[in-house]
Structure formats: structure tokens, C-alpha cells
Amino acid sequence: MSERGGRYERSFGGLVGAMVVAVIIVLVLVVARGLLSSDVDNTDRPAVDYLENVEQLQRSDIGVVYPATLPSGWSVTSVDVADIERPGALPAIGFDLLTDDDKYVGVKVEQESAEDLLEEYVDEDPAETDPLTDAGGPGLATDWAGWEDDGGDRAFTATYGEDRTVLVFGAVSADELADLVGRLTDATLPGVTPQAAPSS
């Protein structure tokens, strides 16, 4: 009686076929991961005329904290406005910026506490660092609390109005972030006249 080494015969063609199938599966997984990734490459976003957005908001009688000027080589890639139609809520306004070496910096103005904004955009428990004094443009607070996390992100926060917070944050140096804070203002742009509220 003859003995067999296994229940099936292995062939070179079968081995090659299995390897091809394995490679296809890996490629499918890599492509799917790329499609499902939530990471956004901010460097691919073109600059926008953010002052045009500021002008539109001011014409609608919405107060905006914005950079009057930008550091050399920096650009604004997005202006976001939320909660604009929610009764009793002040609009949440955000600016996404890129530095001259493609690092992300954000400016957020929301009807939230500094702690809530830091947790959402920076870190759940950032360490307090040196504050800024005599910073910020006309109409803004002059004293800003400083923050940083273990990952290299830095932030400054200040109260704006009665119940809004301004957050400036990014993975840049404290001096770069402080320079941006010094450029912030809520001044009305030249030639802008807010629309009168409709009479009841």
C-alpha cells in the first residue's frame, strides 16, 4: 500500500495564484484605508480671500475677530461659520491658516469656555504656560492665557465680549502664535455699513 504526503498536491501555479490573491487583498486594504482616513491634508487647500468673508459677515451685523494682516508667507485656507441660524446663539467663526512652511494654525471664536475649546481643538489637559500681556488689537482683550500640550501644540485664549472665547492654536512657536494674536482685531472694515435690522 502506497502512502501519500497530504490530501492535495502543491503546485508552483497554485502557489503563484495564492500570492497574487494576497497582493490584491493588501492593495484593496491600503486603498480602502486611504479613502476612509479622516486626516485632512491642509497643504492641498488653496488660499481664500478671507477679508471678503469678514466683510460679508460685518454687513450682516455679525461681529468677527479676524487677523487684520497675516505674517509673511501665511495664508487663510478656510473661513467657517456655524450656529448662525440657531436661536439665541452667537455664530461660531473659525479661520484655518497655513504658515510659510505649511504648518496649520487655527483661530476659533465660539460661545464656549476656554476649557471646552482647548479640549476640542488642542488637548484634554494642556499645561498652562506664560501668558501674553498687552496683546490683541482694538476691541479685544489684552491679556491672553498660554497653553501647550505634550505633542508640541501651543495655544492662547482670551474672553471676547460677555460670553465668547477666542482660541488661537497651532504647532508653531510661541512667538509666531503671539505675533498672530497681535494682528487680531474686530474692527469694521473700511466701507462696510451693517444692514439695519428689519423693523417689526
Side-chain angles (χ1 to χ4, degrees):
M1 183 172 73
S2 63
E3 296 182 0
R4 295 187 178 183
R7 298 191 179 201
Y8 61 93
E9 295 182 5
R10 296 188 177 109
S11 68
F12 180 74
L15 182 60
V16 170
M19 290 177 64
V20 169
V21 170
V23 169
I24 290 173
I25 291 173
V26 169
L27 288 175
V28 168
L29 290 174
V30 169
V31 170
R33 181 179 178 188
L35 292 174
L36 297 175
S37 174
S38 61
D39 294 335
V40 177
D41 185 0
N42 287 293
T43 61
D44 289 338
R45 301 172 69 181
V48 299
D49 185 357
Y50 75 98
L51 291 178
E52 183 176 304
N53 297 104
V54 171
E55 180 178 332
Q56 292 172 355
L57 290 167
Q58 289 181 342
R59 289 189 189 281
S60 299
D61 202 20
I62 296 173
V64 189
V65 174
Y66 64 95
T69 60
L70 296 175
S72 177
W74 288 36
S75 62
V76 174
T77 60
S78 177
V79 180
D80 300 312
V81 183
D83 298 332
I84 197 166
E85 296 180 355
R86 196 175 77 187
L90 294 170
I93 301 174
F95 296 87
D96 294 335
L97 299 90
L98 282 181
T99 69
D100 54 353
D101 55 354
D102 291 332
K103 292 181 180 177
Y104 172 80
V105 175
V107 177
K108 306 292 180 183
V109 185
E110 299 187 18
Q111 200 170 9
E112 302 285 351
S113 68
E115 291 76 12
D116 288 343
L117 289 185
L118 286 165
E119 181 176 349
E120 181 174 356
Y121 295 108
V122 181
D123 190 87
E124 291 184 359
D125 189 25
E128 194 163 358
T129 60
D130 293 337
L132 293 178
T133 56
D134 298 326
L140 303 185
T142 57
D143 296 329
W144 295 67
W147 312 89
E148 67 180 6
D149 67 8
D150 294 335
D153 288 325
R154 293 181 176 83
F156 291 108
T157 58
T159 300
Y160 173 63
E162 294 182 1
D163 55 0
R164 284 200 280 181
T165 301
V166 182
L167 168 69
V168 182
F169 65 101
V172 296
S173 71
D175 288 342
E176 289 176 294
L177 218 55
D179 178 47
L180 180 61
V181 168
R183 296 169 186 265
L184 296 180
T185 182
D186 66 352
T188 302
L189 291 170
V192 173
T193 301
Q195 295 175 353
S199 58
S200 55

